């Protein structure tokens, strides 16, 4: 599944506001084509349909879907959208009813979100324009999360269909399993980890889902910068937040991609675009990297960046590490030789 808002160039795709990609196979190319044609004939309610047999064109289409986890982090108007609820799953037969209720829930909470997969499994990935920087926005995030947890369970679904509950949804597990079963989880955890040293406050006795949010530690006001960052409202922190860890810089897809040359050479996370963005985030937060623009750790991580701007073209979110590096070096050496 892919939404038109997420696609920079829809040329070659059939008409419509969203697309469902279905891949079929067979014992021979002719058999696969026959299966595809039968599927097209059955899709009477769609606006348009297209069967793609060229391998290069197929790879182009799948790349649109692969990039969605990054491109979906920006709404059509440029505002930010976040993960946290892109992993719920319901039985595929319930998917249509669930999506209608999900859309209604977004409207009720004055939120926007764009689903981008995996409809075949009933597992919905979506990024939502939560405001995680203000107290009111975090309250709305919590209210929506509680309501969505109830909705998923009402449709016979799971809070996590693919990636696990972790810290994001564990507080809501009693709604799915019931309090008695969750207490058994806790007893099992205590049996094997009586000191509570392994992953504390994750599944057993979890932290609240609105605790320890990533942006709580960031400066409340934008830092002074030299570059404009027009796509991020002039805010260097917002520019750094563009990186959501998709990690295309670590595993580039075949083709003309150039990102990220230094990581390809060293294999070290700190020399990937994602690693550098994370270090800049820690620099702004001031908890792990405590000496701000003077940080030698950040300087060393940026040192091998070639400023090739490969990330700006290859990263689905448009992280521009070359500009971030120039910004950092300006401040790092300001007022001293």
């Amino acid at each position: 599944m892919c939404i038109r808002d997420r696609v920079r160039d829809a040329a070659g795709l059939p008409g419509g506001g969203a697309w469902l990609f279905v891949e079929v196979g067979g014992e021979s190319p002719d058999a696969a084509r026959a299966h595809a044609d039968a599927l097209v004939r059955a899709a009477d309610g769609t606006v348009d349909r297209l069967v793609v047999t060229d391998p290069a064109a197929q790879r182009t289409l799948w790349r649109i879907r692969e990039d969605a986890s990054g491109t979906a982090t920006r709404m059509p108007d440029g505002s930010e959208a976040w993960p946290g609820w892109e992993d719920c799953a319901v039985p595929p037969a319930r998917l249509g009813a669930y999506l209608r209720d999900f859309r209604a829930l977004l409207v009720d909470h004055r939120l926007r979100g764009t689903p981008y997969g995996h409809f075949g499994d009933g597992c919905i990935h979506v990024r939502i324009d939560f405001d995680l920087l203000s107290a009111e926005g975090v309250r709305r995030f919590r209210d929506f999360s509680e309501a969505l947890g109830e909705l998923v369970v009402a449709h016979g679904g799971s809070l996590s269909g693919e990636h696990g509950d972790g810290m994001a949804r564990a507080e809501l597990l009693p709604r799915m399993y019931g309090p008695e079963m969750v207490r058994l989880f806790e007893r099992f955890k205590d049996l094997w980890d009586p000191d509570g040293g392994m992953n504390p406050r994750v599944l057993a006795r979890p932290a609240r889902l609105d605790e320890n949010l990533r942006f709580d530690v960031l400066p409340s006001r934008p830092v002074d910068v030299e570059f404009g960052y027009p796509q991020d409202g002039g805010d260097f922190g917002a520019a750094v937040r563009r990186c959501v860890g998709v990690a295309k810089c670590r595993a580039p897809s075949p083709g003309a991609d150039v990102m990220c040359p230094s990581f390809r050479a060293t294999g070290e996370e700190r020399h990937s675009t994602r690693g550098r963005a994370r270090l800049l985030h820690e620099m702004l937060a001031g908890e792990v990297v405590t000496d701000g623009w003077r940080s030698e750790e950040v300087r060393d991580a940026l040192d091998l960046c070639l400023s090739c701007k490969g990330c700006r073209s290859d990263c689905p979110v448009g992280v521009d590490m070359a500009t971030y590096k120039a910004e950092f070096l300006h401040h790092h050496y300001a007022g001293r030789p």
Side-chain angles (χ1 to χ4, degrees):
M1 176 65 178
C2 196
I3 305 294
R4 178 172 289 274
D5 291 341
R6 304 275 63 84
V7 181
R8 294 168 182 166
D9 182 4
L13 286 167
W19 302 279
L20 181 67
F21 295 172
V22 182
E23 194 167 68
V24 298
E27 295 182 356
S28 67
D30 289 341
R33 178 61 192 248
H35 292 158
D37 290 340
L39 186 63
V40 165
R41 288 193 297 272
D44 290 334
T46 58
V47 173
D48 199 0
R49 300 166 294 280
L50 178 67
V51 176
V52 180
T53 58
D54 176 62
Q58 291 173 352
R59 286 194 297 271
T60 299
L61 288 175
W62 281 119
R63 179 166 179 174
I64 293 172
R65 165 60 187 87
E66 290 163 3
D67 285 352
S69 59
T71 56
T73 62
R74 286 294 185 275
M75 303 303 292
D77 61 3
S79 58
E80 296 170 293
W82 300 107
W85 279 106
E86 85 275 34
D87 198 29
C88 298
V90 299
R94 297 290 306 164
L95 184 59
Y98 167 72
L99 283 176
R100 285 187 286 272
D101 290 343
F102 173 73
R103 285 289 186 190
L105 196 63
L106 286 173
V107 172
D108 288 346
H109 288 81
R110 303 191 305 281
L111 294 168
R112 296 173 296 166
T114 302
Y116 59 91
H118 313 269
F119 278 29
D121 301 322
C123 179
I124 305 305
H125 288 339
V126 60
R127 300 290 170 102
I128 300 173
D129 66 337
F130 297 119
D131 169 18
L132 300 178
L133 299 174
S134 72
E136 173 59 31
V138 171
R139 279 194 296 272
R140 185 178 301 175
F141 163 71
R142 180 174 186 85
D143 291 345
F144 174 84
S145 298
E146 291 177 338
L148 183 55
E150 296 283 1
L151 179 63
V152 171
V153 172
H155 282 278
S158 169
L159 299 178
S160 299
E162 184 179 6
H163 295 297
D165 302 294
M167 295 182 178
R169 287 169 284 263
E171 184 190 352
L172 303 177
L173 287 179
R175 300 167 190 255
M176 185 168 72
Y177 292 109
E180 185 176 357
M181 181 63 73
V182 170
R183 284 194 293 270
L184 287 176
F185 294 164
E186 294 171 355
R187 288 178 58 192
F188 185 85
K189 162 82 167 170
D190 293 342
L191 201 64
W192 292 96
D193 181 24
D195 295 329
M198 295 185 289
N199 289 333
R201 302 193 73 198
V202 176
L203 292 180
R205 306 174 192 88
R208 290 166 54 91
L209 58 88
D210 52 354
E211 278 186 90
N212 305 316
L213 295 178
R214 180 180 177 187
F215 306 133
D216 286 346
V217 294
L218 292 180
S220 58
R221 302 179 66 178
V223 298
D224 292 334
V225 291
E226 296 301 312
F227 289 92
Y229 307 103
Q231 294 181 318
D232 298 292
D235 185 352
F236 183 72
V240 171
R241 288 199 303 271
R242 281 186 170 272
C243 178
V244 291
V246 173
K248 242 188 125 176
C249 47
R250 291 181 54 95
S253 55
D257 301 304
V258 297
M259 179 179 70
C260 175
S262 53
F263 174 76
R264 293 191 188 190
T266 69
E268 295 184 25
E269 172 74 9
R270 64 178 178 147
H271 294 142
S272 69
T273 304
R274 181 179 73 171
R276 290 171 175 137
R278 183 66 193 183
L279 275 168
L280 288 167
H281 170 91
E282 296 295 349
M283 181 195 79
L284 292 173
E287 291 186 324
V288 177
V289 178
T290 57
D291 44 358
W293 296 112
R294 298 295 198 202
S295 168
E296 294 184 2
E297 300 101 319
V298 178
R299 182 201 62 198
D300 292 346
L302 291 169
D303 186 47
L304 294 186
C305 172
L306 303 180
S307 297
C308 67
K309 290 190 177 285
C311 48
R312 186 171 182 179
S313 60
D314 291 352
C315 175
V317 197
V319 171
D320 184 3
M321 192 53 63
T323 300
Y324 305 171
K325 176 181 179 179
E327 184 75 58
F328 174 83
L329 291 178
H330 167 80
H331 296 281
H332 186 74
Y333 291 107
R336 59 178 180 170

